[in-house]
Amino acid sequence: MKKFLHKDSWTTGIVVGLLSEALTGLLLWGICAALTVPLRDHLSWLGVVFIPVLLILRYYTKNVRHLNTTKSLITVLFVTFVLYMYLLISTHSALVTQPF
């Protein structure tokens, strides 16, 4: 696994980016399920899934300097963020003015 994370390839960036978003989303879903809060009523909370990707992107940019992995992480971040914005706008969750 450590060898896979230190490769400079598009596959590494795509897998790491999507996996971090999926794990963060599952963690958020589990917390909401444990607290009996319906996540579909608070879709704006799913914006939290982008924080680990940004941190991983910063790590690969500053410390490791893998250009292909960084490019693929940026691509994953952009595509998933556009899909997230489409989800918010299509469900009218972006227009909610009350925080809770």
Side-chain angles (χ1 to χ4, degrees):
M1 183 70 171
K2 190 173 184 179
K3 187 177 180 181
F4 176 75
L5 293 176
H6 289 290
K7 284 193 324 188
D8 185 21
S9 69
W10 283 81
T11 309
T12 303
I14 291 171
V15 169
V16 168
L18 290 176
L19 192 62
S20 69
E21 287 180 354
L23 289 176
T24 308
L26 284 173
L27 180 67
L28 180 64
W29 175 77
I31 290 171
C32 287
L35 297 175
T36 64
V37 176
L39 189 59
R40 63 179 137 63
D41 293 342
H42 305 283
L43 289 178
S44 60
W45 293 356
L46 285 175
V48 172
V49 301
F50 299 112
I51 294 172
V53 178
L54 290 171
L55 294 174
I56 293 168
L57 179 63
R58 182 182 183 280
Y59 170 75
Y60 274 106
T61 304
K62 286 191 76 126
N63 297 340
V64 183
R65 298 176 191 246
H66 287 171
L67 188 60
N68 290 330
T69 306
T70 303
K71 286 180 186 178
S72 62
L73 278 169
I74 291 170
T75 304
V76 166
L77 181 64
F78 176 75
V79 169
T80 55
F81 188 75
V82 167
L83 290 173
Y84 172 69
M85 284 294 126
Y86 176 75
L87 174 74
L88 283 181
I89 292 170
S90 67
T91 60
H92 303 290
S93 295
L95 303 175
V96 175
T97 57
Q98 298 174 355
F100 295 101

